Amino acid sequence: MTPLTVGSLFSGIGGFELGLERTGGFKTVWQCEIDPFCLKVLEKHWPGVKRFADIKKMGVEEEIPHVDVICGGFPCQDISCAGKGAGIHAERSGLWWEMLRVVRLVRPRYVLVENVAALLNRGLDEVLGSLAESGYDAEWACIPAASVGAPHFRDRIFIISYPMRQRFEGNQKAAYARIPMFEKSSCPWSTEPPAIRVANGFSSRVDRLRALGNAIVPQCAQFVGQCLLDSTRTEAAQ
């Protein structure tokens, strides 16, 4: 089966892409990330992938290549219970509307969205409503990192969106069975960049910890990607 091409928004250090690619059914074509430290990580692990530096300029100053899937965990700071609750129209979490703009320009087969579980009561209605206005139906669930073997809870909502009138069928039990648990041997990367690394006289430890804290857990993304693949294969067989 030909891999589904992926465009990643708010890529961070590539947790979404890594999880999807671990299924063997996805290929990353482009990424968008504004943070200089995260860009260095992406450049190391996806050297041949096109990168955009500013989502607000995508489709305005640069053409966006078509992809089968657009994924992204838009900023959660204005939605998270740890924040001020400014909401989905605030400066940072309001970047959802830029993600939606890119989706409308590209018209991918699928849209994968991630955010904190607080989105359920702080903007999910607007996310789903705006996707519906754009011609996409959606299904969603909260997946804690602990459910895929992590030593912390880290509950996150994942949304799978697809064109209306298209039925989604994913075998969750089978998808979970394909996910490697959090074992050292299951990770293809060495720690990068190392916490003790120094650049321009400053340790990268703070940047690294911040990037890891914002990252999507790859095993969770892998589960979502496997559900999507199982659904597409079921659809193709019918």
Side-chain angles (χ1 to χ4, degrees):
M1 184 175 180
T2 303
L4 296 174
T5 54
V6 176
S8 169
L9 299 171
F10 315 108
S11 299
I13 56 174
F16 224 142
E17 299 93 292
L18 177 59
L20 294 178
E21 290 181 357
R22 279 179 172 175
T23 67
F26 297 87
K27 178 182 179 182
T28 304
V29 172
W30 52 258
Q31 298 166 316
C32 179
E33 176 55 49
I34 199 168
D35 182 86
F37 177 82
C38 292
L39 280 171
K40 292 179 181 179
V41 178
L42 296 177
E43 289 166 2
K44 176 177 176 61
H45 296 294
W46 285 274
V49 168
K50 179 178 178 60
R51 262 172 291 279
F52 297 92
D54 188 345
I55 190 173
K56 294 181 180 179
K57 297 180 180 179
M58 294 178 67
V60 178
E61 296 183 2
E62 292 184 81
E63 185 177 349
I64 310 171
H66 180 77
V67 288
D68 298 312
V69 180
I70 287 181
C71 68
F74 66 96
C76 67
Q77 288 85 351
D78 299 312
I79 296 171
S80 173
C81 294
K84 297 181 179 180
I88 200 168
H89 291 281
E91 180 179 3
R92 302 189 74 175
S93 295
L95 288 173
W96 156 251
W97 305 104
E98 289 295 329
M99 181 173 182
L100 182 69
R101 179 183 64 82
V102 172
V103 168
R104 287 173 170 173
L105 287 173
V106 177
R107 306 301 302 179
R109 290 172 60 187
Y110 303 100
V111 181
L112 305 180
V113 183
E114 181 269 358
N115 213 279
V116 294
L119 181 67
L120 287 166
N121 300 312
R122 296 185 174 186
L124 180 61
D125 55 339
E126 294 203 57
V127 170
L128 298 178
S130 58
L131 284 169
E133 290 174 353
S134 305
Y136 289 87
D137 205 341
E139 299 183 27
W140 62 96
C142 286
I143 306 173
S147 69
V148 292
H152 57 287
F153 192 59
R154 198 182 183 94
D155 199 16
R156 296 292 184 268
I157 185 171
F158 284 83
I159 302 170
I160 297 180
S161 188
Y162 45 87
M164 289 182 175
R165 297 181 299 279
Q166 176 179 316
R167 186 177 179 182
F168 179 81
E169 294 181 0
N171 187 326
Q172 295 188 14
K173 185 175 181 180
Y176 265 121
R178 297 185 179 95
I179 301 174
M181 292 296 103
F182 276 72
E183 300 174 0
K184 185 176 181 180
S185 61
S186 71
C187 182
W189 294 0
S190 59
T191 302
E192 175 60 36
I196 60 172
R197 187 173 183 176
V198 175
N200 298 323
F202 296 93
S203 170
S204 65
R205 179 178 177 82
V206 173
D207 287 328
R208 179 174 178 270
L209 292 176
R210 174 173 51 80
L212 288 171
N214 290 331
I216 292 175
V217 175
Q219 284 84 345
C220 291
Q222 180 180 349
F223 168 69
V224 173
Q226 193 62 59
C227 286
L228 178 55
L229 290 177
D230 290 346
S231 176
T232 59
R233 288 162 182 162
T234 299
E235 179 185 348
Q238 291 177 347

